[in-house]
Amino acid sequence: MSGNQHIQVPAQGQKITVNKDSSLNVPDQPIIPFIEGDGVGVDVTPVMRKVADAAVAKAYGARRKIQWMEIFAGEKATRIYGPDMWLPEETVAAVRDYAVSIKGPLTTPVGGGIRSLNVALRQELDLYVCLRPVQYFKGVPSPLKEPEKTDMVIFRENSEDIYAGIEYAAGSEGAKKLIAFLTQEMGVQKIRFPETSGIGIKPVSREGTERLVRKAIQYAIDNDKPSVTLVHKGNIMKFTEGAFRDWGYALAQREFGAEQIDGGPWCRLRNPRTGKDIVIKDSITDAFLQQILMRPADYSVVATLNLNGDYLSDALAAQVGGIGIAPGANMSDSVACFEATHGTAPKYAGKDYVNPGSMILCAEMMLRHMGWREAADLIVQSLEKAIQSKQVTYDFARLMEGATQVSCSGFGDVVISMMD
Ligand SMILES: NC(=O)C1=CN([C@@H]2O[C@H](COP(=O)(O)OP(=O)(O)OC[C@H]3O[C@@H](n4cnc5c(N)ncnc54)[C@H](OP(=O)(O)O)[C@@H]3O)[C@@H](O)[C@H]2O)C=CC1
Ligand SMILES: O=C(O)CCC(=O)C(=O)O
Ligand SMILES: [Mg+2]
């Protein structure tokens, strides 16, 4: 870590502050920290900013303006702060202190090298909810016959599970110690090749599960959704994924008054806002992956563990047009950092080529979170119009008849032109 200060705080603008009940005080010129991101981050992040600025200007004139503040992580941070400074302290502090931020993707090497900076940021700030809405926009090409039937919101637990990165390489001191402990003290005889096994640990807690499932059920209540599905592989991983399911059901009953249907485990609660039923159900992950393709209309809010949520995010995104149009947010009760589902797509980096739709929709989620609903609505409407005009990036153009392929920045300009 370094005491270096490289963040330039905009002269104008104020911090967003958070009340005890998690509501926000948003000034008319909020300072929003942003991380450009590695790879295609350099392409999509400027487009996102341009579209968000245009929507804010269109919706509120001179009355409101985002004061962007660049903060640094990933390769850019190492260029600015020095080698090995991948996630500077002041970057983490800014994401925490400014309450609302947005980031482009960051590279994580496979196998060796640094651990995920994306995961590190989530862990350091305990951004325990990864919220990824999956909705169909009219005109988007999809591999499904009826893509509009896919309308889900993923609540992915963001702080635990095998994703936490507690693992030891085969042959390392850590792996040897753990394997010795397991075999000698715990009587474990199931490690097939103990001499050459790497070892990963999968922590899943009651608290971690409950806070995630609570958010998912509250979301279903607030947004008039018909069901919450707990997705787990609890038949095999009984005390982690199975416990996630059991703790989830217990929470629904204890805190939301859900009652079992036909002896359970499914249960049902009455939405206090609408009087309608919300069904709490569960599905084993492998079966769920086929259900979302075969019967997507049966599912709405999804609450799941970290790794399942990662896999499901990309699979569900594909059903409604792919990860070029898949936004998300990492959230705690006081901090929200908006982040696309996709990664750095290195082969396209710097080519002004990829779809900026995910980042644009991240900005839309961010504006809605700030209560700037009119600007958020404008983004959704103009994005839809842009897609329907068939002026789209390569990912959509290759699947659409009669489309005109435009660049990443070109697509941003089409979206802005649709605001008129
Ligand atoms: N939150 C984050 O910062 C994340 C970071 N990553 C990191 O990103 C790096 C690359 O990961 P990788 O597995 O290649 O996954 P990516 O999501 O970066 O890319 C996979 C494929 O998805 C398509 N794609 C991705 N982004 C877009 C876009 N904006 N518009 C259109 N299509 C898009 C492309 O498909 P096609 O080839 O068909 O054109 C691309 O080749 C890794 O280091 C990974 O760890 C990954 C996910 C999230
Ligand atoms: O951190 C990474 O590099 C990958 C993360 C990821 O795929 C995700 O969070 O969806
Ligand atoms: Mg992922």
Side-chain angles (χ1 to χ4, degrees), residues 192-267:
R192 180 69 185 82
F193 297 109
E195 298 300 316
T196 58
S197 288
I199 288 277
I201 306 276
K202 182 180 174 77
V204 176
S205 69
R206 183 168 56 76
E207 289 92 326
T209 300
E210 286 182 348
R211 65 183 182 171
L212 186 271
V213 174
R214 186 180 294 119
K215 285 278 184 209
I217 296 177
Q218 193 58 52
Y219 181 93
I221 291 171
D222 294 343
N223 294 278
D224 191 16
K225 298 289 182 187
S227 68
V228 177
T229 305
L230 307 169
V231 178
H232 60 85
K233 187 75 186 169
N235 49 342
I236 303 300
M237 291 169 274
K238 294 181 189 296
F239 306 132
T240 50
E241 305 238 349
F244 177 89
R245 182 198 78 148
D246 295 345
W247 288 323
Y249 275 130
L251 177 106
Q253 291 168 24
R254 195 174 65 247
E255 290 191 12
F256 293 92
E259 290 181 357
Q260 287 193 336
I261 305 169
D262 297 336
W266 288 27
C267 49

Side-chain angles (χ1 to χ4, degrees), residues 38-366:
D38 298 330
V40 294
V42 300
D43 303 295
V44 294
T45 302
V47 175
M48 173 281 294
R49 286 177 56 193
K50 193 171 171 189
V51 171
D53 284 343
V56 170
K58 181 81 188 167
Y60 310 115
R63 191 161 65 83
R64 285 180 169 166
K65 186 176 183 337
I66 292 175
Q67 295 289 343
W68 297 101
M69 177 172 85
E70 182 159 19
I71 61 175
F72 306 95
E75 287 151 22
K76 197 165 184 180
T78 65
R79 291 199 295 275
I80 291 173
Y81 291 76
D84 295 330
M85 294 300 298
W86 297 95
L87 187 59
E89 247 168 42
E90 63 167 352
T91 296
V92 179
V95 172
R96 183 189 57 232
D97 297 344
Y98 286 82
V100 175
S101 60
I102 188 161
K103 70 175 276 294
L106 296 169
T107 302
T108 315
V110 176
I114 56 162
R115 287 213 165 265
S116 169
L117 304 169
N118 310 300
V119 172
L121 192 58
R122 298 168 196 169
Q123 286 178 335
E124 288 219 22
L125 298 177
D126 201 22
L127 305 176
Y128 64 91
V129 174
C130 179
L131 174 65
R132 290 180 167 171
V134 184
Q135 68 182 110
Y136 180 66
F137 290 96
K138 218 165 139 206
V140 171
S142 156
L144 298 195
K145 278 195 207 127
E146 297 174 303
E148 65 285 351
K149 288 190 172 172
T150 301
D151 181 10
M152 298 184 211
V153 179
I154 303 169
F155 279 75
R156 163 189 177 190
E157 203 291 321
N158 222 13
S159 67
E160 301 195 301
D161 196 3
I162 201 79
Y163 222 92
I166 309 167
E167 55 170 8
Y168 301 91
S172 68
E173 214 37 52
K176 280 186 197 156
K177 264 193 187 163
L178 263 172
I179 291 169
F181 172 71
L182 289 169
T183 51
Q184 290 161 25
E185 296 189 40
M186 301 291 288
V188 173
Q189 294 178 351
K190 294 178 185 167
I191 303 175
R192 180 69 185 82
F193 297 109
E195 298 300 316
T196 58
S197 288
I199 288 277
I201 306 276
K202 182 180 174 77
V204 176
S205 69
R206 183 168 56 76
E207 289 92 326
T209 300
E210 286 182 348
R211 65 183 182 171
L212 186 271
V213 174
R214 186 180 294 119
K215 285 278 184 209
I217 296 177
Q218 193 58 52
Y219 181 93
I221 291 171
D222 294 343
N223 294 278
D224 191 16
K225 298 289 182 187
S227 68
V228 177
T229 305
L230 307 169
V231 178
H232 60 85
K233 187 75 186 169
N235 49 342
I236 303 300
M237 291 169 274
K238 294 181 189 296
F239 306 132
T240 50
E241 305 238 349
F244 177 89
R245 182 198 78 148
D246 295 345
W247 288 323
Y249 275 130
L251 177 106
Q253 291 168 24
R254 195 174 65 247
E255 290 191 12
F256 293 92
E259 290 181 357
Q260 287 193 336
I261 305 169
D262 297 336
W266 288 27
C267 49
R268 182 190 296 128
L269 63 98
R270 178 72 41 95
N271 185 331
R273 290 172 189 258
T274 64
K276 292 188 212 162
D277 281 346
I278 298 174
V279 173
I280 314 292
K281 51 187 172 176
D282 75 285
S283 181
I284 297 178
T285 315
D286 44 359
F288 190 66
L289 279 161
Q290 72 97 36
Q291 292 290 83
I292 56 176
L293 277 171
M294 311 291 279
R295 293 163 54 186
D298 287 2
Y299 300 98
S300 175
V301 178
V302 173
T304 192
L305 300 100
N306 208 338
L307 184 62
N308 292 334
D310 188 13
Y311 295 159
L312 278 171
S313 300
D314 284 37
L316 274 169
Q319 295 185 196
V320 293
I323 48 180
I325 189 161
N330 302 302
M331 307 175 101
S332 68
D333 297 334
S334 55
V335 175
C337 179
F338 294 82
E339 173 190 69
T341 294
H342 67 72
T344 56
K347 66 185 171 188
Y348 300 128
K351 293 189 174 158
D352 192 16
Y353 189 66
V354 296
N355 192 342
S358 301
M359 277 298 274
I360 291 173
L361 287 170
C362 283
E364 183 270 330
M365 285 177 77
M366 180 179 82

